[in-house]
Structure formats: structure tokens, C-alpha cells
């Protein structure tokens, strides 16, 4: 099975900061990589699919890049509503593994 | 409005069974594969199971294979998860989610989740 890792596991940031989260797959997954935002008590939200495509309705300050095994989620100009936990997930096979998450707090 | 609403969660004893349901509305349910995903307390998201549009193919994480069964009723716009031989480590919020075919297999939308607690 494909394993997903993320770094860092948590980070502290301020409003207006640029935040970068890294995700690595244990084998090549082409661009079958998705990013989600999870806030306490809310449904997870798809932010980025296919490594770099912005899901409809998601603010343009979110962007994704990468292919193969290494991927990045970037949040430009962090906003108060962006404090949350972010997960990467592959959809390369039918074992849809999530990364362990990165918590972004103040 | 596209909506997924889970139900059926609750408290169950170790070794017991529970059946979760997910009611879909606002989209053509029969056209989409569906997933179950869970989040244990203090833990991350864990993909549990996937079912194709007609229900002809199902897939499971190793952690639940042989104990959980995913199914669907397209006539009722509903997804199900039959959970048997439950363990304390199955305690989690369970979410249903739609396989977004236009999104390279991303999951969107998701339900709000239903809490399952396995405890004596």
C-alpha cells in the first residue's frame, strides 16, 4: 500500500503569513493527490485536487504543486478562517490513504 | 442543495454491531462512487471503504476488512456501512463522502459525520 507522510505535523503562523505544507508518497502517484481542510465539528473540505487544481469555491490564496512523490500545499496571506488541520490524500489506487495531517494554529 | 446526512451512530459494546446510513440529496446519487472515512478522537482521517456506482465493486482498508460491509441502494439514494465485531479502536466520527469523478478521485462533498463509540 502507498504510505503518505506530511511535514511539519504542526506549525504556528500569523495572519498574512505564507504557509507551506509538504506531502510525500511512498511511491509515485503521478498527480493523483488531493488536499483537504478539516475544522473541528465541520465536514472536511476538498481544497485542491489533481495536485494543483483549485476546487470550485475555494479561495485563490490556496495553491498546490508537485508530481510523482513530492507535493506542496501553499496558503498565501493566511486568513483567520484558515486555522485548521490540513490533510493530503492520494487517489492513485483504491486504497485511498490520507496523510497524518498538519495543524496550522496561531 | 447537495447534501449528505449520516445517521445510525451511537454507543455499542465491544463485539457488537451497528449499521450506519448516509442519505444523499441534491445530486444524481447513482452516478457517483461513495466512500466512508473516519476520524478517531485525537487522530487523523482514515479512509475505510469505497463502493462503485452500481455497487458491483467494493474496497476496504485492512483495518476493517472482514468486519465492515459497504452497500448502497440507488433507489433510496442511500449508502450504508454494516459494522460487525466492533472494537474500542473503532470509536470515531464516521463520514460519508462522494467520489468526485471530475476531481481525479477527490472526495467532495462530505457529510457532517456520525459518532460511533465502542465501549462497555
Amino acid at each position: 500500500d502507498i504510505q503518505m507522510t506530511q511535514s511539519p505535523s504542526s506549525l504556528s503562523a500569523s495572519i498574512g503569513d505564507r504557509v507551506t505544507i509538504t506531502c510525500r508518497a511512498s511511491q509515485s502517484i503521478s498527480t493523483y493527490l488531493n488536499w483537504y481542510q478539516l475544522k473541528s465539528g465541520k465536514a472536511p473540505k476538498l481544497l485542491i485536487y489533481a495536485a494543483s487544481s483549485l476546487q470550485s469555491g475555494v479561495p485563490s490564496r490556496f495553491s498546490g504543486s508537485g508530481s510523482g512523490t513530492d507535493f506542496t500545499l501553499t496558503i498565501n496571506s493566511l486568513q483567520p478562517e484558515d486555522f485548521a488541520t490540513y490533510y493530503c490524500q492520494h487517489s492513485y489506487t483504491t486504497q485511498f490513504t490520507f496523510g497524518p495531517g498538519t495543524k496550522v494554529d496561531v | 442543495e447537495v447534501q449528505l446526512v449520516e445517521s445510525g451512530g451511537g454507543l455499542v459494546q465491544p463485539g457488537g454491531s451497528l449499521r450506519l446510513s448516509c442519505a444523499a440529496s441534491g445530486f444524481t446519487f447513482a452516478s457517483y462512487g461513495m466512500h466512508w472515512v473516519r476520524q478517531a478522537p485525537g487522530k487523523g482521517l482514515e479512509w475505510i471503504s469505497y463502493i462503485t456506482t452500481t455497487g458491483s465493486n467494493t474496497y476496504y482498508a485492512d483495518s476493517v476488512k472482514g468486519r465492515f460491509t459497504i452497500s448502497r441502494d440507488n433507489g433510496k439514494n442511500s449508502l450504508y456501512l454494516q459494522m460487525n465485531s466492533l472494537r474500542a479502536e473503532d470509536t470515531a466520527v464516521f463520514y460519508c463522502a462522494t467520489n468526485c469523478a471530475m476531481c481525479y478521485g477527490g472526495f467532495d462533498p462530505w457529510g457532517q459525520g456520525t459518532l460511533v463509540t465502542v465501549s462497555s
Side-chain angles (χ1 to χ4, degrees):
Chain A
D1 291 352
I2 299 171
Q3 307 301 317
M4 309 299 293
T5 57
Q6 287 182 236
S7 61
S9 57
S10 65
L11 64 90
S12 295
S14 300
I15 302 302
D17 282 354
R18 182 182 187 186
V19 169
T20 299
I21 299 169
T22 297
C23 175
R24 177 166 289 175
S26 60
Q27 67 181 72
S28 177
I29 56 171
S30 182
T31 56
Y32 286 86
L33 191 282
N34 311 301
W35 290 97
Y36 301 85
Q37 178 191 66
L38 182 57
K39 295 181 181 180
S40 180
K42 291 199 167 185
K45 180 181 179 180
L46 177 65
L47 301 174
I48 302 285
Y49 65 91
S52 61
S53 295
L54 193 68
Q55 176 64 334
S56 176
V58 174
S60 59
R61 62 181 179 273
F62 290 92
S63 64
S65 65
S67 66
T69 60
D70 295 315
F71 304 87
T72 300
L73 173 70
T74 300
I75 311 172
N76 283 304
S77 188
L78 196 70
Q79 297 300 300
E81 60 268 30
D82 300 337
F83 291 100
T85 303
Y86 294 86
Y87 294 87
C88 64
Q89 174 238 348
H90 83 81
S91 49
Y92 188 71
T93 70
T94 50
Q95 294 288 311
F96 301 83
T97 317
F98 286 89
T102 296
K103 184 176 182 180
V104 177
D105 58 20
V106 179
Chain B
E1 178 192 4
V2 174
Q3 195 171 19
L4 296 172
V5 178
E6 301 93 338
S7 61
L11 176 64
V12 60
Q13 292 188 337
S17 298
L18 210 56
R19 189 196 196 202
L20 305 183
S21 299
C22 170
S25 60
F27 66 104
T28 308
F29 178 73
S31 297
Y32 293 88
M34 296 294 297
H35 300 270
W36 286 101
V37 177
R38 69 184 178 185
Q39 184 182 29
K43 304 291 186 180
L45 296 173
E46 180 187 15
W47 173 81
I48 292 300
S49 186
Y50 170 61
I51 187 168
T52 53
T53 54
T54 62
S56 59
N57 293 96
T58 57
Y59 305 89
Y60 299 92
D62 288 344
S63 59
V64 305
K65 196 174 297 182
R67 300 188 299 125
F68 290 10
T69 302
I70 191 172
S71 63
R72 65 190 298 161
D73 185 335
N74 288 341
K76 294 183 177 180
N77 290 339
S78 293
L79 174 73
Y80 305 102
L81 185 68
Q82 177 67 42
M83 303 186 294
N84 298 330
S85 303
L86 283 162
R87 307 165 180 167
E89 55 265 36
D90 294 317
T91 294
V93 175
F94 284 73
Y95 300 96
C96 61
T98 306
N99 192 68
C100 177
M102 303 296 289
C103 314
Y104 261 56
F107 298 1
D108 184 62
W110 297 60
Q112 292 289 329
T114 186
L115 176 62
V116 173
T117 303
V118 184
S119 175
S120 55

